[in-house]
Amino acid sequence: MFPAYLLTDPFLQFPTESTVQVVWFTPFPGTEHWVVYGEKLERQVKAKTTKLSRTREDKISHIDETLLGEQGEFPVLRDIWRHEGEITGLMPGKKLPYEAISFHDNGQEIRSDHFTLAPTPQSGMPLKILLTSDHQLKPMTAANIQKVGETIGSVDAIFFAGDLVSIPDRASEWFDDKRGNAFFPVLQGRANHDLEKEGTRTTYTGAALIQNAPLFSALGNHEIMGQWSEEQGLNNQFDGSYPRQAAQADYEQQADRINPSGDANIKEDWIKDHSFNSDTYEQIFSLPKSPGNGRYYAISFGDIRLVVPQITNMWRSPNLSANTQGRFRERDRDLDQPQNWGYGQHIFEPITPGSPQYEWLKTELNSPEFQRAKYKIVMFHHPPHSVGENIVPAYTDPVQIIDRDRDGNPLVIRYEYPKEKDYIIRDVIPLLEEANVDLVLYGHSHLWNRFVSPRGMNFLETSNVGNTYGAYRGESRRYVPPAYQPEYSPVGDPNGLEPMIPSLAPLRENNQLLPYIASNNITVFSILDTETATVSSYFFDTREPDSNVVKFDEFSIRRQG
């Protein structure tokens, strides 16, 4: 018998001028699922139910054994059902109460608490928007979001610049990881995460945000699974991404055996299973389907036009050891086994001139919706400017170089990333500058820093919730290959901007003002206030759980150039 409870509270997705989607999840299919709403909850709409197709658990899932039993060596499918009700006929500026109701297969009626929904805000309405990224069940995430709720109260939306969880097909990371800090519980105020600092243990619950405010997200590298396997753990499958072009070539060599009928669906499924996919992410969220099926999109929200390209690549270790499938080399044992190559930090969705995504971006930046927006914001995952680790090497297709012996046998397979071919800096940023974008929001390196271009465009990386990769200035240096042809910057922003010193209360180190926060003790969140056109950033020192949240930086998103 399926368990009889809601896996999540309902949450809001994809508001328009008169509609909004209400979504929730259950561990049972149920017989009916409804959203009731209105001043007196007098209206109702039946939800559409679908089943997540790739959610699984494995031996290292943190999950109550009563749900699936003791985990064996290999992943097992976990049944989870998604319910979505479309609320229509909404009036601009008017919030309405709502609740979700699911009827279990045994006839039991299960109701959520009451929350409020609304269509997209009208122009001129003041909004407070949480800017965040890279939660990934990191240690300070529940504390971070709890402090958002305690400091700001309710927010009007969340802009999330990727890396929502760590392994996207591991269901418990979204819903019920028993460490108490899964994705949905944290953002719905139902977390139960113990954080121990300086000998003091504090339990954090997150905050109830997305039940009443829509979440808009960008695809990060942690929303993308690698090659499917029934015998590899989920972590290995996540790490096993393989370029789609290489999988296509493998398919063509074996097509007569794999797919003798020539069925197009069989072909697509085989290539997907042998390369990478973001199916679970796409099935969980309701984002604009055209043209990128939610992987890239644009949407208007109040005075904001939010443009969300898919700019992310496979993260691989910088380690140069013979046993590492890294960003700069293949493992020695794989030299004569191309099917096992990782192909370095390959890019998941092209954004070079002429690619579908690039042409969409150019069209969007010239669209009436974008041009008339008061605030123009672009959000993606990979950093264009950062003092963090993950901005190196350049965001470009890896150039494979095979060093061979006299007999032609491979000695080493390595990858280089020519800096002059960085697609973000060479191709994307000039478009954004010309379009007078106000703010570029991103993540990936798990720290806070911000920049301003010579033409006045603002850049913000606000992704510090624990497990930072550090900041690289002064004596702190990134690990980069010592003898490769391209230049790999060991310190600072490799793309030439100086980080801004926080305007209100910068931290200090060795009596020097720090232009960043990169800490596993101090967590940061940022709030965009559209009434004042400012982004305010706050920090909280988790070593002192009774301390105040400190506003340490504030800047205007209006272009300064």
Side-chain angles (χ1 to χ4, degrees):
M1 177 62 69
F2 296 109
Y5 58 86
L6 305 184
L7 265 178
T8 67
D9 279 338
F11 61 98
L12 303 181
Q13 289 276 276
F14 196 6
T16 70
E17 293 180 350
S18 61
T19 69
V20 70
Q21 309 298 319
V22 175
V23 178
W24 71 103
F25 294 87
T26 62
F28 57 87
T31 55
E32 289 185 335
H33 305 270
W34 295 84
V35 182
V36 296
Y37 66 102
E39 295 287 0
K40 299 181 179 179
L41 298 177
E42 72 281 5
R43 302 169 66 183
Q44 64 181 19
V45 62
K46 191 172 184 178
K48 177 183 177 181
T49 295
T50 55
K51 187 178 180 182
L52 301 186
S53 65
R54 289 177 176 256
T55 44
R56 291 164 286 165
E57 304 289 356
D58 65 0
K59 187 175 182 179
I60 62 174
S61 294
H62 293 268
I63 188 170
D64 189 332
E65 290 183 1
T66 61
L67 294 175
L68 289 174
E70 185 176 354
Q71 293 300 100
E73 290 294 323
F74 306 130
V76 295
L77 288 169
R78 182 174 174 193
D79 294 333
I80 292 174
W81 285 266
R82 179 186 193 269
H83 316 289
E84 178 180 64
E86 182 177 21
I87 311 304
T88 61
L90 298 175
M91 300 296 293
K94 187 174 180 60
K95 293 186 176 183
L96 294 175
Y98 79 97
E99 67 176 356
I101 305 174
S102 288
F103 290 89
H104 192 271
D105 308 72
N106 64 12
Q108 181 180 352
E109 177 184 279
I110 306 169
R111 291 177 174 261
S112 74
D113 292 337
H114 292 179
F115 307 105
T116 59
L117 56 77
T120 195
Q122 293 176 289
S123 295
M125 181 178 293
L127 305 172
K128 286 185 170 60
I129 297 172
L130 172 62
L131 311 177
T132 190
S133 75
D134 296 86
H135 285 191
Q136 296 178 248
L137 286 77
K138 297 303 184 187
M140 296 190 292
T141 308
N144 180 285
I145 297 302
Q146 182 169 320
K147 293 305 174 182
V148 172
E150 293 174 358
T151 306
I152 307 301
S154 60
V155 297
D156 297 293
I158 298 172
F159 293 175
F160 201 122
D163 282 9
L164 288 70
V165 295
S166 184
I167 308 297
D169 281 3
R170 184 176 285 129
S172 50
E173 293 195 15
W174 294 100
F175 303 111
D176 53 7
D177 188 292
K178 67 181 181 181
R179 291 169 293 183
N181 59 342
F183 177 79
F184 283 108
V186 165
L187 288 170
Q188 296 191 321
R190 296 184 179 277
N192 183 32
H193 183 67
D194 290 340
L195 187 63
E196 186 166 342
K197 297 287 183 179
E198 308 289 322
T200 300
R201 178 173 294 181
T202 307
T203 301
Y204 294 99
T205 61
L209 301 182
I210 59 174
Q211 295 98 320
N212 306 293
L215 181 146
F216 303 99
S217 55
L219 260 175
N221 55 296
H222 280 272
E223 277 68 72
I224 299 175
M225 283 295 288
Q227 299 179 71
W228 175 278
S229 172
E230 295 182 356
E231 298 179 353
Q232 293 280 335
L234 294 175
N235 285 31
N236 288 338
Q237 292 181 50
F238 169 76
D239 288 334
S241 72
Y242 190 69
R244 188 150 288 152
Q245 186 176 3
Q248 172 88 26
D250 291 347
Y251 172 84
E252 297 298 340
Q253 293 178 359
Q254 309 172 66
D256 291 343
R257 177 183 62 82
I258 297 169
N259 186 15
S261 67
D263 187 294
N265 291 327
I266 293 176
K267 175 182 178 180
E268 178 58 32
D269 288 346
W270 191 96
I271 292 172
K272 178 192 297 185
D273 286 346
H274 291 78
S275 57
F276 59 84
N277 73 88
S278 54
D279 284 14
T280 295
Y281 171 85
E282 294 174 44
Q283 291 170 12
I284 284 176
F285 296 103
S286 299
L287 297 168
K289 296 300 182 186
S290 179
N293 201 36
R295 295 189 296 272
Y296 54 92
Y297 63 94
I299 196 166
S300 295
F301 191 77
D303 286 325
I304 297 169
R305 185 65 172 176
L306 177 66
V307 182
V308 187
Q310 182 185 344
I311 300 181
T312 189
N313 57 2
M314 180 61 195
W315 184 91
R316 297 204 188 278
S317 170
N319 194 313
L320 292 176
S321 76
N323 295 320
T324 298
Q325 186 183 71
R327 65 183 67 166
F328 297 114
R329 62 165 296 161
E330 299 288 1
R331 294 176 294 218
D332 281 357
R333 67 174 182 267
D334 294 334
L335 292 179
D336 59 352
Q337 301 181 66
Q339 72 275 12
N340 292 335
W341 293 351
Y343 289 91
Q345 293 197 165
H346 58 90
I347 291 171
F348 293 119
E349 181 75 31
I351 197 163
T352 49
S355 67
Q357 185 178 199
Y358 183 85
E359 296 306 313
W360 160 79
L361 180 60
K362 282 203 309 183
T363 300
E364 164 57 32
L365 296 178
N366 286 286
S367 69
E369 294 85 356
F370 184 88
Q371 294 293 325
R372 64 173 173 252
K374 185 175 181 179
Y375 304 119
K376 301 171 175 65
I377 298 177
V378 175
M379 175 176 70
F380 49 82
H381 186 61
H382 196 93
H385 298 286
S386 179
V387 298
E389 177 183 320
N390 285 338
I391 195 170
V392 172
Y395 188 84
T396 189
D397 290 305
V399 177
Q400 187 183 74
I401 299 170
I402 303 179
D403 297 329
R404 301 180 184 272
D405 64 18
R406 291 181 179 180
D407 298 323
N409 300 310
L411 295 172
V412 66
I413 299 175
R414 56 193 177 92
Y415 297 96
E416 295 186 352
Y417 303 80
K419 186 175 179 181
E420 68 275 10
K421 294 183 179 180
D422 188 306
Y423 302 142
I424 303 175
I425 300 303
R426 187 191 71 182
D427 301 324
V428 174
I429 295 303
L431 288 182
L432 306 188
E433 291 276 21
E434 288 298 320
N436 293 314
V437 167
D438 298 296
L439 175 66
V440 181
L441 173 67
Y442 49 94
H444 198 36
S445 285
H446 301 198
L447 81 168
W448 180 97
N449 55 180
R450 70 175 178 92
F451 303 81
V452 181
S453 76
R455 296 179 59 177
M457 188 159 66
N458 295 287
F459 297 87
L460 177 65
E461 181 174 10
T462 178
S463 56
N464 183 252
V465 293
N467 195 31
T468 182
Y469 300 123
Y472 296 89
R473 282 171 61 85
E475 299 300 316
S476 180
R477 303 174 72 83
R478 299 181 185 94
Y479 181 78
V480 296
Y484 277 36
Q485 188 66 31
E487 174 191 351
Y488 300 108
S489 303
V491 296
D493 170 38
N495 297 317
L497 294 185
E498 282 296 314
M500 305 297 290
I501 299 291
S503 60
L504 301 177
L507 298 180
R508 291 176 179 266
E509 186 175 275
N510 298 326
N511 208 32
Q512 298 291 315
L513 299 179
L514 294 180
Y516 59 83
I517 294 181
S519 170
N520 289 323
N521 295 309
I522 299 173
T523 187
V524 173
F525 62 88
S526 299
I527 301 292
L528 167 63
D529 186 332
T530 64
E531 184 173 27
T532 59
T534 57
V535 172
S536 301
S537 292
Y538 303 78
F539 72 69
F540 170 65
D541 192 334
T542 61
R543 294 169 297 187
E544 302 177 11
D546 296 327
S547 64
N548 293 325
V549 169
V550 176
K551 184 195 289 190
F552 70 94
D553 183 68
E554 189 166 88
F555 69 95
S556 173
I557 66 169
R558 294 189 178 97
R559 289 177 66 98
Q560 301 172 25

